[in-house]
Amino acid sequence: MANTILVGAQWGDEGKGKIIDVLTEQADVVVRTQGGNNAGHTVFIGPKKYVLHLIPSGILRKKKTCVIGNGVVVDPIGLVSEIEGLRKIGVKVNGNLFVSETAHVVFPYHRELDAQREVLKGKNKIGTTKRGIGPAYGDKAARVGLRMIDLINAERFEQKLAAKVKENNEVLKAFGAKPLSFKEVHKTYRAAGDYLKPFVANTVTLLHQAVRRGDDILFEGAQGTFLDIDHGTYPYVTSSNTTSGGACTGSGVAPNRMDRVVGVLKAYTTRVGEGPLPTENAEVADMLHAMGREFGATTGRARRCGWFDSVATRHATMVNGIDDLAVTNIDGLDTVETIKVCIGYRDGKKKYDYMPNDVEVLARCEPVYAEFPGWRTPTDKARSWKQLPPKCREYLKAIAELTEAKLFIASVGPAREQTIFV
Ligand code: GDP
Ligand code: IMO
Ligand code: MG
């Protein structure tokens, strides 16, 4: 399988968790390289549902090494409860999970600042997950963050944390928010530090040993292309590089060690949180929500929904270098009579066949649609390309062609077996 970077090609929640779980069967190592517990990756094994936030989805398969890379921001309390949660349901988390010693730590003041800034923004809020992601990456860039290596060193941690709490309490007071108790934060974080110490490692050298051995490494992207801090719909984005380059910087594995990029996308479009979504459509949203689908895996919020946007996915192919496509949630369109696909944008007289960088322009853009006849047949029992209805195959071929990448996987349900290799 070689070294594969898997990215979300839309606005997140494309079904990356499911596809990672399927591809992990052939992999030796699975690595998260960016984001934090803002992510929610759903995997079904039989009737059992698992939602992973920080731990790579590969953990659910036996004998796989899982790595939380240097580019991730780690909420240690969240990570401990995720490990405990997995252990309680019989998943082995011992000797198969490594956390980078240089990954930055998310603190309660990051979460509080995240929430306070959203309140201050009022109607211009981003709609963050309130997990403290933006402020934690902010501290990293400002060179005032604490890392896992600090968390597991009792003496150093106490000193650094005292200064951080003092400073951030002043900021919180300015927001009119309650200051934090150093004692409390220190106690809970030190306990988490002791718990996590056996997992903390130099993951850069660990991954290089894997590369040298010729192991197959899978890089599990979080969020999606249009939530990327550089390439997304700024400022309605997350605070990391969610595109394929983030896999290199967030792991320490160089670009020329990577073999291919897989883009995961839904057969339609969803977004959770604020910001422009050109193909947003109330009927599509009502239809999917009525099926009990498209509610966020992390916050439970109803996702905004719309038609497939090939302007966006083609842009995603460009910035990620996507070779292969995994199209998920095809079954979500099983009942639609006429399916629309956005093939261009129009802003007054100006036409776009790429994503404009200015979100105000993007918000004004009207989609130009092509129409495809729906297949109006359940697809969830299909197990091969041939078993898919002809109109469904035509639709998939068309969206792959418009996205300018090769169709690799067609997913017709959340389960492992509902996966068709094309
Ligand atoms: P991720 O963040 O990209 O891992 O995606 P999420 O787990 O947040 O959301 C994707 C949702 O779609 C989850 O509920 C998955 O179980 C579900 N899912 C993934 N692929 C399919 C599919 O082909 N069909 C259906 N019906 N559900 C799917
Ligand atoms: P996965 O990995 C979908 C969105 C939030 C918000 C914006 C910024 O499951 O695909 P943040 O808390 O990161 O500062 O929020 O990004 N967002 C996601 N949307 N899937 C995710 O992750 C997301 N992680 C963050 O809703 O709009
Ligand atoms: Mg998700």
Side-chain angles (χ1 to χ4, degrees):
M1 194 187 68
N3 296 339
T4 301
I5 303 175
L6 182 135
V7 293
Q10 294 161 324
W11 277 269
D13 301 329
E14 296 90 347
K16 299 177 294 293
K18 175 195 157 158
I19 302 298
I20 285 284
D21 170 64
V22 168
L23 297 181
T24 298
E25 199 179 2
Q26 310 291 329
D28 302 296
V29 184
V30 187
V31 196
R32 272 284 305 271
T33 58
Q34 43 72 228
N37 59 354
N38 49 348
H41 296 177
T42 314
V43 181
F44 276 91
I45 298 171
K48 269 200 203 156
K49 177 180 166 175
Y50 302 83
V51 181
L52 285 313
H53 298 283
L54 274 165
I55 300 176
S57 304
I59 199 81
L60 301 175
R61 297 222 183 228
K62 291 195 175 94
K63 295 189 181 141
K64 309 291 174 181
T65 300
C66 289
V67 174
I68 297 177
N70 55 278
V72 175
V73 287
V74 178
D75 181 330
I77 313 294
L79 181 54
V80 170
S81 83
E82 210 171 315
I83 294 171
E84 284 293 295
L86 286 172
R87 282 178 172 169
K88 239 179 239 150
I89 51 177
V91 179
K92 178 190 161 205
V93 192
N94 189 3
N96 55 345
L97 176 68
F98 299 90
V99 183
S100 168
E101 54 196 10
T102 58
H104 277 249
V105 177
V106 180
F107 286 96
Y109 49 81
H110 292 133
R111 284 199 302 275
E112 193 55 39
L113 284 171
D114 191 354
Q116 292 296 331
R117 283 181 189 155
E118 286 280 274
V119 172
L120 196 69
K121 281 198 164 106
K123 68 174 181 39
N124 295 324
K125 71 173 198 269
I126 297 165
T128 73
T129 60
K130 299 200 178 75
R131 298 294 190 273
I133 304 300
Y137 276 114
D139 274 2
K140 174 178 176 176
R143 298 157 296 177
V144 295
L146 269 68
R147 310 194 289 182
M148 291 303 292
I149 207 166
D150 302 312
L151 177 70
I152 60 170
N153 178 325
E155 206 175 306
R156 194 200 298 178
F157 182 69
E158 183 168 358
Q159 261 179 24
K160 289 198 173 193
L161 182 71
K164 290 297 297 176
V165 170
K166 192 162 174 253
E167 177 193 336
N168 281 284
N169 275 346
E170 293 305 315
V171 183
L172 287 174
K173 271 191 249 164
F175 273 107
K178 221 175 105 204
L180 296 163
S181 145
F182 163 75
K183 237 172 116 183
E184 219 167 278
V185 179
H186 180 253
K187 192 170 146 224
T188 51
Y189 272 64
R190 269 306 306 144
D194 284 339
Y195 184 103
L196 294 173
K197 198 169 182 170
F199 297 93
V200 177
N202 182 333
T203 54
V204 173
T205 55
L206 184 148
L207 286 170
H208 276 271
Q209 282 158 12
V211 169
R212 256 189 231 126
R213 276 198 302 272
D215 282 1
D216 289 328
I217 309 176
L218 195 49
F219 295 84
E220 176 173 350
Q223 290 81 50
T225 299
F226 300 101
L227 293 172
D228 184 284
I229 183 83
D230 285 278
H231 300 290
T233 52
Y234 192 91
Y236 302 99
V237 294
T238 190
S239 297
S240 63
N241 282 115
T242 62
T243 46
S244 55
C248 295
T249 52
S251 68
V253 178
N256 59 353
R257 297 289 177 266
M258 302 296 185
D259 297 297
R260 69 164 178 169
V261 180
V262 173
V264 185
L265 30 84
K266 277 178 177 148
Y268 46 91
T269 307
T270 66
R271 169 170 209 167
V272 57
E274 306 304 315
L277 187 64
T279 62
E280 187 164 18
N281 180 286
E283 276 170 44
V284 177
D286 290 347
M287 173 188 79
L288 293 165
H289 291 151
M291 294 173 178
R293 306 159 68 125
E294 301 311 341
F295 294 92
T298 296
T299 58
R301 291 177 288 177
R303 295 175 184 146
R304 298 158 64 195
C305 305
W307 298 114
F308 189 84
D309 183 345
S310 73
V311 179
T313 57
R314 190 163 56 246
H315 196 104
T317 296
M318 181 168 74
V319 293
N320 291 295
I322 295 172
D323 301 296
D324 296 316
L325 298 173
V327 182
T328 70
N329 287 273
I330 295 164
D331 52 309
L333 296 178
D334 282 353
T335 58
V336 183
E337 200 173 322
T338 304
I339 304 172
K340 291 185 182 181
V341 170
C342 172
I343 51 167
Y345 301 149
R346 192 179 290 134
D347 174 27
K349 285 206 175 99
K350 193 162 168 50
K351 285 185 185 162
Y352 291 94
D353 61 1
Y354 61 91
M355 294 273 282
N357 280 322
D358 186 334
V359 277
E360 287 181 24
V361 174
L362 186 61
R364 278 201 312 262
C365 279
E366 290 290 335
V368 178
Y369 286 118
E371 291 189 348
F372 292 82
W375 45 92
R376 307 190 82 189
T377 319
T379 55
D380 61 322
K381 303 238 163 25
R383 295 293 176 269
S384 70
W385 179 246
K386 278 204 179 130
Q387 285 173 8
L388 286 173
K391 283 179 182 146
C392 178
R393 281 184 267 162
E394 287 308 309
Y395 176 73
L396 295 175
K397 277 199 263 179
I399 62 174
E401 210 165 283
L402 287 162
T403 303
E404 295 180 356
K406 202 169 134 272
L407 193 57
F408 164 50
I409 286 175
S411 168
V412 292
R416 278 176 180 171
E417 60 275 15
Q418 290 171 307
T419 311
I420 297 168
F421 286 88
V422 182

